[in-house]
Amino acid sequence: MKILKSLFILFITLFFSACTLKENTYHVKTHDIYTLKPELTQCKNQPLFVYIEGDGLAWKTKYEISNDPTPTNSVSLKLLKAAKQPCAIYLARPCQYTKQTCDKKEYTSHRYSYVIIQSYDTLLNELKTEFGFSSFVLVGHSGGGVIAALLASQREDIDFFITIASNLDTLFWTNYHNISPLIGSLNPADFAYLLENIPQYHLIGKNDTNVPFEVFQSYESKFKNTQNIHYRLYSTNHTDNWEKFYTDFLKTVRRK
């Protein structure tokens, strides 16, 4: 697993060399969060696009937890690369790409816990102070979209957020797959009342068997006011070709 992790990090470095992305690890709260970002000093008073990693390799199989949740196929990294935005950053999840010793619950049952959300919240505050961003646009694939929604529910400087193939109602999602509920995690569907006034865009794969359309429908049903909720369906599954669909989608988004 360590060899696989090293090879994948090498692949990332080569893959993004043309974009001159620099890696860094921020220690916030009790978590180390690995990042990739271009030079951001020119982004003062501009919004920062924040790409949040999915759950990664949290489970080796349906019954065996991984020792290392570092992803082997990062859609979020591909989105960042394809978008080619000068003011953007990639945020991994706790226990990914780092040497930090983690309790496995950090990337399984507690993967969306209050403590983890607070770590990301603190990191965004630190980045805002360091670089002077005006606001944030949050983008998350799969579980990264859950993190994005939960962060948006707590902050007042989110222009909008975008999710791709995201399990936004985690209780419905675990029930759908007949797997253990995410005890210790927060569920975005429970925060609909805080998200109603935030523009949000949800990109959903028609052929996604991991996070089917019904998960989004359950999430949307929790809102009294749905005028800020927008979704689009694409002919793809959970991971394939999202960079193309995403970049086409970005051309249509009306920025604040």
Side-chain angles (χ1 to χ4, degrees), residues 148-167:
L150 290 170
L151 278 172
S153 74
Q154 297 190 16
R155 300 184 65 93
E156 297 181 353
D157 56 359
I158 306 301
D159 288 349
F160 57 91
F161 68 95
I162 304 169
T163 74
I164 298 95
S166 293
N167 48 323

Side-chain angles (χ1 to χ4, degrees), residues 13-160:
T13 303
L14 295 174
F15 189 60
F16 288 101
S17 59
C19 301
T20 61
L21 296 179
K22 296 181 179 180
E23 60 180 2
N24 192 12
T25 300
Y26 287 83
H27 181 75
V28 284
K29 299 289 185 180
T30 58
H31 299 102
D32 290 342
I33 299 178
Y34 173 85
T35 71
L36 281 171
K37 64 181 185 296
E39 180 59 59
L40 296 175
T41 54
Q42 78 280 15
C43 297
K44 187 176 181 180
N45 298 322
Q46 297 185 45
L48 178 72
F49 271 71
V50 180
Y51 290 83
I52 305 172
E53 183 57 78
D55 296 340
L57 190 65
W59 292 81
K60 290 182 180 180
T61 69
K62 187 176 180 179
Y63 305 102
E64 184 181 4
I65 300 175
S66 171
N67 292 322
D68 181 358
T70 298
T72 57
N73 177 28
S74 173
V75 173
S76 295
L77 283 170
K78 292 177 182 178
L79 298 179
L80 175 65
K81 168 67 176 180
K84 299 179 180 178
Q85 296 157 319
C87 300
I89 188 171
Y90 165 83
L91 303 183
R93 301 278 290 281
C95 313
Q96 296 177 351
Y97 305 109
T98 72
K99 296 180 180 179
Q100 183 180 27
T101 301
C102 293
D103 189 319
K104 290 183 178 180
K105 71 178 184 181
E106 294 285 277
Y107 52 89
T108 54
S109 61
H110 289 60
R111 68 185 80 172
Y112 316 125
S113 70
Y114 176 79
V115 174
I116 286 177
I117 299 305
Q118 287 302 300
S119 292
Y120 281 100
D121 187 58
T122 299
L123 177 53
L124 292 187
N125 289 337
E126 290 184 4
L127 291 169
K128 195 172 185 178
T129 299
E130 181 179 359
F131 296 102
F133 305 121
S134 62
S135 55
F136 299 98
V137 175
L138 307 179
V139 184
H141 171 255
S142 194
V146 175
I147 300 292
L150 290 170
L151 278 172
S153 74
Q154 297 190 16
R155 300 184 65 93
E156 297 181 353
D157 56 359
I158 306 301
D159 288 349
F160 57 91

Side-chain angles (χ1 to χ4, degrees), residues 224-235:
K224 293 180 179 179
N225 176 11
T226 60
Q227 67 178 6
N228 287 312
I229 301 178
H230 311 278
Y231 73 88
R232 298 186 185 182
L233 293 167
Y234 295 89
S235 297

